[in-house]
Amino acid sequence: MKIVIAGAGNVGTHLAKLLSVESQDIVLIDDSEERLGQMGSSFDLLTIQESPVSIDGLREAGTGSADLFVAVTPDESTNLISCQIAHSLGAKKTLARIDNGEYLNSKNMDFFQKTGINSLIYPELLAAQEIVNGLKVSWIRQWWEFAGGLLVLMGIKIRLGAEILDKPLRELGPGQPFHIVAIMREGNTIIPSGDDMVLAGDLVYFMTMKKEIRYIQRIAGKQQLPDVRDVIIMGGSRIAVRAAHLIPDHINLKIIESDIAQCHRLTELVDGRAMIINGDGRDPSLLMSEGISHTEAFVALTDNSETNILACLAAKRFGVTKTIAEVENVDYINMAERLDIGTVINKKKIAASHIYQMMLDADVTNVKSLTFANADVAEFNVMDGARVTRCQVKDISLPRGVTIGGLIRNGQGLMVDGNTQIEQGDHVVVFCLEGMIKSVERYFN
């Protein structure tokens, strides 16, 4: 597949690195020699120093024969224009990064389709959605819903005392209302079999139904942790604004921002949905005066990954149960996990998952990257005659490192075992080690 990426910023370079490893034909175009940097010499891709809105530059990049054109520069207008040019030149699919939520309204999508833009992505909004999902339950690291919540995925840190420790998964008993689909242990990702065990300190990903959440809470040893009622956000970024609009009404929200001018803007932008406080979110006396010791969740959203990690560590010392840090430096993510930070938000990974979905030939509703684990999850819609419908799950012979977590059939979430027969029309949630989704889609075509 030929993919042209316009914009060598954080999202563009991260996506280019991921795709070049998969032997895709990647071209990265940007007008900055500095941003292109060492990409061409360090990775299997072509770099072109040209403006993303230069017709000649896009022609030089081979945009006319591109299967996918992705515009992810920091400037929304540049992205929209370059996608329109790419479509006119012959690119099969186009995607533009935006920062205006209004464009995502369904009534506006037809307009963009007609102008040659197939899909829009707003990384800050996607990050805000993940933050709010993470605040729904204080004792989980990651929370994702499939098919409107018929199935849920929960990443949970397992401590001493949990019921499921030190037992082969096959001995947990048949008919359990959950499926352990991935285990992160000491930096290694395990797609488990029945012989694997959960150990203290593991980050375990459970697939289940919403009605079983309290059961999972019990067997994971998390009964004592309170629900989230009060939240402090450090940093008045665009993600913070979006999160303020998405957060449930029963949660009390405070946003601490050090820049007084930005505080005034925030007061207008959040429209009464949060209390805006001018100050340094790292100041212990300020945090104490704002009730940090009685706050269930602390979210650090400054533009500095180290600051966010340290602020979350400080919040934990005050007794905060749930901490969330925006960590844009991918190299720091594993460090954040070792420090037991809690939930980590990375816009690059979130955006790359969304874009990756457009590369697949199978009918895929969702693609997610598990932040801490080197694994991905995808929701496949099963087509007529698909390979997975020809036998029971135990006889499909899925590649090593792949497991089916659950499926949705006739509006109902179901767990999957070896005797399950997948049918046309099912929505199947598949987990696999990073970079294996393309090898899995042939089972669903």
Side-chain angles (χ1 to χ4, degrees), residues 172-322:
L172 295 180
Q176 287 284 354
F178 64 85
H179 183 182
I180 294 177
V181 294
I183 298 172
M184 185 67 177
R185 178 181 300 154
E186 297 180 349
N188 298 312
T189 301
I190 302 167
I191 303 295
S193 66
D195 296 324
D196 287 298
M197 295 187 291
V198 174
L199 307 181
D202 285 351
L203 179 59
V204 178
Y205 290 88
F206 293 81
M207 173 65 71
T208 189
M209 289 82 70
K210 280 187 176 179
K211 64 181 181 180
E212 305 296 346
I213 291 173
R214 293 303 177 191
Y215 175 69
I216 302 296
Q217 183 180 19
R218 179 175 65 79
I219 65 172
K222 305 290 184 178
Q223 307 97 309
Q224 75 281 10
L225 297 179
D227 293 333
V228 174
R229 296 290 179 182
D230 296 283
V231 177
I232 292 177
I233 293 179
M234 182 180 77
S237 64
R238 287 190 296 181
I239 298 177
V241 173
R242 287 294 170 185
H245 285 281
L246 294 172
I247 208 161
D249 291 336
H250 71 270
I251 291 179
N252 301 311
L253 176 63
K254 297 178 180 178
I255 301 177
I256 301 177
E257 168 57 46
S258 58
D259 184 270
I260 186 64
Q262 178 63 5
C263 285
H264 291 312
R265 288 192 291 271
L266 285 170
T267 300
E268 298 178 3
L269 291 170
V270 303
D271 193 25
R273 298 187 64 85
M275 179 184 294
I276 309 302
I277 299 161
N278 178 230
D280 186 345
R282 299 168 296 180
D283 181 356
S285 61
L286 174 62
L287 292 174
M288 286 296 293
S289 68
E290 294 302 330
I292 188 70
S293 59
H294 305 294
T295 296
E296 291 84 21
F298 179 88
V299 185
L301 299 177
T302 76
D303 57 6
N304 186 289
S305 297
E306 297 97 319
T307 296
N308 294 339
I309 291 171
L310 292 173
C312 285
L313 285 173
K316 279 186 170 290
R317 286 198 291 271
F318 280 113
V320 176
T321 303
K322 176 82 176 182

Side-chain angles (χ1 to χ4, degrees), residues 120-138:
L120 301 172
I121 183 172
Y122 187 177
E124 287 78 11
L125 177 58
L126 295 174
Q129 289 170 338
E130 288 212 6
I131 289 169
V132 174
N133 284 338
L135 293 174
K136 288 179 178 178
V137 185
S138 65

